[in-house]
């Protein structure tokens, strides 16, 4: 499973890259607003850290004409840009055109298997189903992932990768990986939670204590 980081925080991205845990980056208008930084220069900096892996940069317009122009600006930033568009008619039309020209497109705000079919038919590189936001309204977000993986598996001609988004906890990652979703994007804090296990902490404390008793030093 590829790990994308759902953040524009440059220090967090560098940290994940150093750990070998950064396979791409996703942003959205809310993440950019939270950063307080200027969009295009920030995306350029993120592309440098991402080292050629996909960086999703989202259009702001909702009408096709403006969205299409914005998409052209975004894809010119770097070769590893995945233009992110909403799952609307304007978004799918933009996706189709960009994908036909070889640009990666990430179709976002997906909440149903039917929407995921539309993105695959438009040649999207990634479909982003939002598990956490479905959980928030008492639906089973992970069921959507299972449905999309099943449907895409039935049609090997679709190249679209399932990019599990709105990930809120390690179980979202683990269960999606068990289903075979190719990618997930999560805040770095959630990715780091995968390290945690009480038996690891307990075992390490015992090893440290026992090693001290030996009076030895490796260095
Ligand atoms: O980038 C899209 C998605 O990951 C947003 O997550 O937590 O705002 O629902 P969240």
């Amino acid at each position: 499973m590829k790990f994308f980081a759902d953040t524009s925080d440059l220090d967090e991205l560098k940290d994940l890259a150093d750990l070998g845990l950064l396979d791409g980056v996703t942003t959205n208008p809310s993440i950019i607003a939270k950063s307080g930084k200027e969009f295009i220069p920030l995306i350029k900096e993120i592309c440098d850290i991402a080292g050629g892996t996909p960086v999703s940069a989202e259009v702001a317009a909702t009408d096709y004409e403006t969205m299409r122009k914005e998409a052209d600006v975004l894809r010119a930033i770097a070769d590893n840009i995945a233009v992110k568009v909403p799952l609307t008619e304007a978004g799918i039309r933009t996706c189709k055109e960009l994908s036909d020209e070889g640009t990666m497109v990430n179709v976002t705000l997906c909440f149903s298997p039917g929407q995921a079919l539309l993105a695959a038919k438009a040649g999207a590189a990634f479909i982003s189903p939002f598990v956490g936001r479905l959980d928030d309204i008492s639906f089973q977000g992970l069921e959507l992932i299972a449905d999309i993986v099943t449907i895409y598996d039935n049609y090997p001609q679709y190249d679209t990768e399932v990019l599990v988004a709105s990930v809120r906890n390690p179980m979202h990652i683990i269960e999606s990986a068990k289903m075979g979703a190719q990618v997930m994007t999560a805040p770095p804090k959630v990715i780091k939670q995968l390290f945690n296990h009480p038996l690891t902490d307990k075992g390490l404390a015992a090893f440290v204590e026992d090693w001290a008793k030996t009076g030895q030093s490796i260095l």
Side-chain angles (χ1 to χ4, degrees):
M1 178 181 244
K2 283 177 273 190
F3 280 15
F4 288 5
D6 205 22
T7 184
S8 64
D9 185 301
L10 302 178
D11 290 333
E12 288 183 332
L13 290 172
K14 283 180 199 145
D15 177 46
L16 286 175
D18 289 346
L19 285 164
L21 296 176
L22 189 70
D23 302 313
V25 181
T26 52
T27 63
N28 61 38
S30 304
I31 287 172
I32 299 301
K34 195 174 147 207
S35 78
K37 294 186 177 171
E38 215 180 313
F39 183 34
I40 306 283
L42 177 58
I43 293 292
K44 279 186 185 151
E45 282 193 87
I46 292 173
C47 284
D48 290 341
I49 296 169
T53 61
V55 174
S56 289
E58 188 160 340
V59 296
T62 55
D63 68 287
Y64 165 73
E65 280 76 20
T66 319
M67 187 184 292
R68 189 64 182 76
K69 286 180 195 151
E70 289 179 350
D72 283 338
V73 170
L74 296 178
R75 69 173 165 173
I77 294 174
D79 289 342
N80 53 327
I81 286 288
V83 176
K84 203 170 174 190
V85 300
L87 214 151
T88 59
E89 283 197 30
I92 289 297
R93 185 172 165 192
T94 303
C95 173
K96 167 78 179 139
E97 291 176 5
L98 266 59
S99 301
D100 283 350
E101 293 171 12
T103 297
M104 285 186 289
V105 179
N106 176 359
V107 180
T108 189
L109 291 168
C110 171
F111 294 95
S112 80
Q115 290 180 320
L117 262 176
L118 295 173
K121 289 183 74 62
F126 305 105
I127 181 67
S128 290
F130 280 30
V131 286
R133 291 194 196 183
L134 280 170
D135 289 352
D136 289 346
I137 58 162
S138 300
F139 280 75
Q140 296 287 343
L142 287 167
E143 276 181 16
L144 175 61
I145 306 305
D147 285 347
I148 298 172
V149 168
T150 301
I151 290 169
Y152 282 7
D153 281 352
N154 285 342
Y155 299 95
Q157 67 268 34
Y158 296 149
D159 293 327
T160 308
E161 296 192 343
V162 180
L163 196 176
V164 183
S166 189
V167 165
R168 305 276 173 77
N169 57 61
M171 289 315 290
H172 280 154
I173 302 173
I174 294 160
E175 292 303 319
S176 300
K178 282 159 70 178
M179 292 168 196
Q182 292 90 349
V183 196
M184 73 85 205
T185 189
K189 183 184 74 179
V190 175
I191 294 175
K192 290 284 192 86
Q193 284 173 5
L194 291 170
F195 279 106
N196 300 342
H197 198 287
L199 290 180
T200 304
D201 297 340
K202 191 178 168 198
L204 184 59
F207 288 156
V208 168
E209 196 181 320
D210 289 341
W211 179 251
K213 287 180 200 156
T214 72
Q216 299 179 49
S217 165
I218 296 172
L219 298 179

